Amino acid sequence: MSYMSPFRLFWIFVKVSTFTIGGGYAMIPVIKEFIVDKYKIMQNDEFLDVIVTAQTVPGVIAINTAMILGSRLSGFWGAFFAVLGASLTPFIIILVIASFFTDFVDLPVFKGFFAGARVGVTVILANLSFQLLRRSLKRYMILAVITAGTIAIVLLNLSSIWVLLVCSMLIYFIDKRRPQ
């Protein structure tokens, strides 16, 4: 993991929050595109750890992700500017839409736009869910191997050396298959 300036984080989150439709979960693949793929600041596993952590903390996933990424990549000011970048544009857009929404809600153009956006967001969320599920299943498999090894040693009174050897090999192969 490397350092990223707070202002670059701010602009990344401004871009992401400006051009992503569908809420915080729809923003995650776009944030990943910048942080992992384009700037190569984090590995995919580190990024997924940030997302898992952001999901466990109460609050909006986009703000939680911005805060955790900002904090990890450039401390307090990184967190501050990332959260500001993630929230500024949506705040302004919602303010503008709220003032004019009732005038345009029934126009066919807007109905079509929102129907198309709903399909796109569904695909993005399905892809993200699949990525997180694959990673979680690997962790549960590793936990199952550790549990089975502990039971084999404690309850079945098997040789701890052989059990540890077998468990280590299983965990190695499970972890080796983990998608990057």
Side-chain angles (χ1 to χ4, degrees):
M1 184 167 46
S2 300
Y3 175 82
M4 180 177 271
S5 84
F7 298 110
R8 178 171 275 180
L9 279 167
F10 172 79
W11 285 114
I12 286 173
F13 279 97
V14 164
K15 289 178 203 174
V16 170
S17 66
T18 301
F19 298 109
T20 307
I21 297 172
Y25 284 103
M27 293 169 71
I28 291 170
V30 183
I31 296 167
K32 177 189 173 287
E33 184 73 28
F34 280 104
I35 300 295
V36 175
D37 301 331
K38 183 176 181 181
Y39 294 113
K40 300 185 185 330
I41 295 294
M42 272 187 174
Q43 296 295 319
N44 193 45
D45 281 352
E46 291 174 300
F47 182 78
L48 288 175
D49 285 341
V50 167
I51 300 307
V52 169
T53 304
Q55 287 178 320
T56 61
V57 177
V60 180
I61 187 79
I63 301 302
N64 291 346
T65 302
M67 182 184 64
I68 294 166
L69 276 174
S71 177
R72 285 192 182 183
L73 295 176
S74 55
F76 171 80
W77 291 112
F80 176 81
F81 282 107
V83 168
L84 184 64
S87 56
L88 186 63
T89 306
F91 176 76
I92 293 169
I93 290 171
I94 289 170
L95 200 60
V96 170
I97 288 174
S99 62
F100 296 110
F101 187 71
T102 56
D103 297 335
F104 298 107
V105 71
D106 292 326
L107 291 176
V109 170
F110 285 100
K111 285 184 178 182
F113 171 77
F114 286 119
R118 188 176 300 124
V119 171
V121 167
T122 302
V123 170
I124 290 170
L125 292 178
N127 182 33
L128 174 65
S129 299
F130 180 69
Q131 286 180 8
L132 291 173
L133 181 65
R134 278 193 330 198
R135 183 141 193 257
S136 295
L137 287 176
K138 301 288 180 169
R139 286 186 171 174
Y140 287 123
M141 289 172 61
I142 290 171
L143 182 61
V145 168
I146 293 170
T147 303
T150 303
I151 290 170
I153 292 170
V154 174
L155 297 180
L156 301 177
N157 211 17
L158 297 177
S159 168
S160 59
I161 294 172
W162 288 108
V163 171
L164 288 173
L165 182 63
V166 169
C167 287
S168 297
M169 289 188 323
L170 286 172
I171 290 171
Y172 171 77
F173 288 117
I174 290 169
D175 195 51
K176 185 178 177 187
R177 287 184 10 216
R178 179 181 292 169
Q180 296 299 322

